Amino acid sequence: MLRSLTLFCVIAVCSVSAAAQLSEGGVEQRVEPFAARVQTLADSAELPGGAVVIVRDGHVAASIPLGTRNGTDAVTIETVFRVASVSKVFTAAAVARLVADGRLSLDADLRNGRPWLAEVAPGPSPVTLRGLLTHTAGFDDRTVGMFARTPEDLVPLGAYLPHRMPRRTSATGRETRYNNHGVALAGLVIEETVGQPFDAVVAALLFEPLGMTGSSFAQPLPRDVDRRVARAYQCPEVPCDPVPFDYRRTSPAGGMVTTPDDMGRFMCAVLDEGDTLLGRGTVDRLTSRAWGVREDVPGLALALHEQPVAAYRGLAHAGASSGYRSLLVLVPEVGAGLFIVTTGGAPWFASAVLEEFEQVLGGPRAAGESPMPVAPSELAEYEGVYLLGRAARRSYESFPGRFLFAHPIWANDDGYLVRSEAGRIKRYGRVADDLFAAAEGAGTMFFERDAAGSVVAVHAADVFNGVRFPA
């Protein structure tokens, strides 16, 4: 079962004076009760192991190891975890750094010099790094063939993608279609630009400058990293049979491992308002809005999804694979960050901790406009079963996608549109024309019409592990 909690205050992670600890109305006075609440939630969620890290004002305000990494050894800030799709943020950060150095462009057509990419993305619209890292490049995605059972079954990106890159099946820039192969393509561009393997480039650009000694994209892992890995479990009682590791042929999209200590370093660097170790140009490109359907609907930075956190603009990403779940949240306006990783247990844990994090930040929750109910007869044109953007359109995986990614929206008798978010039923009222907002909590839905005036799409969030993915 879950071991007792230990709270570490790690100030030396970031080059900021200790006086910064006392800024912003005594955040530290709220950290200790936050840590106790995290322990209570972890007990309720029956976590085998995990960690929670808070960054505020240039230092790590709390690093909270939970449980054990293997049924025996307690988790520490040096324990290594797989973070699945949070890896995409680091691929985006590497791209941002190369763009800041003038070695890449976010908007250059990647088909130039890559005939195989032109074959799967014909037509006048370019394929750009901006499109790949905001999931707006229009490509199908696929799961079959993306994973390998052993490191020996892996294929280098340069050999895998020219034969396995899905086709572009929708217009670029119109909608977000979450896509692992698109981010893997960004990783290949990094490789080809620098002339080194992707994992080595990210280590040189990000991990080494930040002192992230427990982080890696290598498959298999370096021995000194592998010996500290926390195993994921399908049951709360450990030891039991751990979930087998997976190996990814699309490693830039989900193959990274890291530690709580390393994630504290990364969050500090991204949130540093001064001469950050990553470079001001890198951070600004990573965190600035890169795509959005309209200003009052959350969009995306590079591989980071906009969502309200308390009263502020938050940037978030989540991941899940082989029993691990992860969540990264950055709130640049107040210099705050949250990282959560677990090796099993209840899926609601990260969302619950995120709510507690909002309390630590203080300040009011985002109010937004007041959604109003309307006559049920006016809602009929919005009702229907929509398909999440990540669903394949033209491959053999499109058939099961019709069921896996179907998303119904319906009207109730009180004049609200209703949809399911992370297993919860949520009501939406109108705030303006075709824009609806959640009656309780965060959430927007913007309905798009065709030239004839018919509703053809909805821009709304797919909620997972605390993150509101535009979908």
Side-chain angles (χ1 to χ4, degrees):
M1 289 296 290
L2 187 69
R3 297 294 182 89
S4 61
L5 172 150
T6 304
L7 173 63
F8 296 87
C9 288
V10 187
I11 308 304
V13 166
C14 308
S15 55
V16 176
S17 68
Q21 301 171 47
L22 303 177
S23 63
E24 295 294 332
V27 168
E28 281 63 31
Q29 281 74 18
R30 294 192 288 272
V31 168
E32 188 170 344
F34 168 83
R37 180 61 179 155
V38 166
Q39 176 67 75
T40 300
L41 292 171
D43 288 338
S44 298
E46 297 185 301
L47 299 186
V52 176
V53 181
I54 288 183
V55 164
R56 184 70 193 268
D57 299 328
H59 73 280
V60 174
S63 187
I64 308 170
L66 300 165
T68 68
R69 68 177 185 86
N70 55 10
T72 304
D73 300 324
V75 169
T76 73
I77 60 173
E78 299 293 340
T79 298
V80 173
F81 295 89
R82 295 186 173 223
V83 293
S85 285
V86 168
S87 306
K88 294 177 174 68
V89 178
F90 289 82
T91 299
V95 166
R97 183 143 197 191
L98 291 171
V99 170
D101 291 343
R103 304 181 69 180
L104 284 175
S105 167
L106 286 178
D107 298 306
D109 193 344
L110 301 176
R111 297 178 300 180
N112 296 330
R114 300 179 179 89
W116 61 269
L117 185 56
E119 289 182 9
V120 297
S125 297
V127 177
T128 67
L129 286 167
R130 184 187 303 274
L132 297 177
L133 295 174
T134 58
H135 304 291
T136 60
F139 287 97
D140 269 11
D141 204 10
R142 56 165 49 107
T143 301
V144 175
M146 191 172 74
F147 297 95
R149 292 184 178 181
T150 67
E152 291 73 27
D153 294 330
L154 291 170
V155 180
L157 284 173
Y160 173 77
L161 284 175
H163 299 286
R164 295 293 296 170
M165 186 71 192
R167 294 189 64 81
R168 182 165 64 186
T169 58
S170 62
T172 60
R174 176 176 173 268
E175 61 183 336
T176 56
R177 300 182 60 192
Y178 191 85
N179 196 289
N180 288 291
H181 282 76
V183 178
L185 175 55
L188 177 60
V189 172
I190 291 172
E191 273 194 355
E192 294 175 344
T193 299
V194 179
Q196 297 180 24
F198 173 79
D199 62 292
V201 178
V202 176
L205 292 179
L206 304 178
F207 299 156
E208 292 170 10
L210 297 181
M212 298 175 64
T213 58
S215 300
S216 179
F217 274 94
Q219 298 183 104
L221 292 171
R223 182 173 298 180
D224 63 321
V225 174
D226 185 60
R227 65 181 177 81
R228 293 183 279 143
V229 169
R231 301 302 303 268
Y233 296 89
Q234 293 177 320
C235 60
E237 295 286 350
V238 292
C240 65
D241 291 334
V243 179
F245 286 150
D246 63 58
Y247 299 92
R248 290 181 177 243
R249 298 185 174 104
T250 56
S251 177
M256 179 179 150
V257 301
T258 190
T259 69
D261 181 55
D262 283 1
M263 287 304 296
R265 295 172 184 271
F266 177 74
M267 290 190 288
C268 282
V270 173
L271 295 167
D272 187 348
E273 294 183 350
D275 296 327
T276 170
L277 291 172
L278 292 177
R280 186 77 264 144
T282 299
V283 170
D284 289 346
R285 285 171 175 81
L286 178 65
T287 59
S288 297
R289 173 178 270 217
W291 180 87
V293 63
R294 52 188 279 173
E295 287 300 318
D296 50 5
V297 174
L300 291 100
L302 296 184
L304 286 163
H305 306 265
E306 294 180 334
Q307 67 182 64
V309 178
Y312 312 108
R313 172 184 179 255
L315 298 169
H317 209 301
S321 182
S322 299
Y324 300 89
R325 285 178 178 253
S326 58
L327 171 65
L328 172 66
V329 179
L330 302 170
V331 191
E333 185 179 348
V334 291
L338 171 70
F339 172 68
I340 303 169
V341 64
T342 60
T343 58
W348 51 258
F349 176 76
S351 298
V353 173
L354 176 56
E355 292 180 5
E356 297 294 328
F357 174 65
E358 292 185 276
Q359 298 298 320
V360 171
L361 292 186
R365 289 179 177 271
E369 299 187 57
S370 299
M372 301 296 294
V374 297
S377 59
E378 295 184 40
L379 300 179
E381 65 176 332
Y382 301 110
E383 291 185 291
V385 178
Y386 295 80
L387 191 65
L388 291 182
R390 71 180 302 170
R393 306 289 171 85
R394 284 160 57 178
S395 74
Y396 51 81
E397 293 190 39
S398 63
F399 178 72
R402 297 286 174 177
F403 303 94
L404 295 173
F405 300 118
H407 189 84
I409 296 175
W410 66 98
N412 66 14
D413 294 336
D414 296 328
Y416 290 93
L417 290 175
V418 181
R419 63 184 290 242
S420 175
E421 295 184 7
R424 297 180 180 179
I425 301 300
K426 200 162 186 176
R427 302 181 304 152
Y428 281 77
R430 177 178 280 156
V431 294
D433 298 326
D434 294 322
L435 179 65
F436 289 72
E440 303 88 17
T444 59
M445 295 196 300
F446 171 64
F447 291 86
E448 183 180 330
R449 297 178 182 271
D450 61 15
S454 299
V455 172
V456 293
V458 59
H459 296 271
D462 182 26
V463 183
F464 172 75
N465 212 38
V467 176
R468 305 187 62 81
F469 292 89

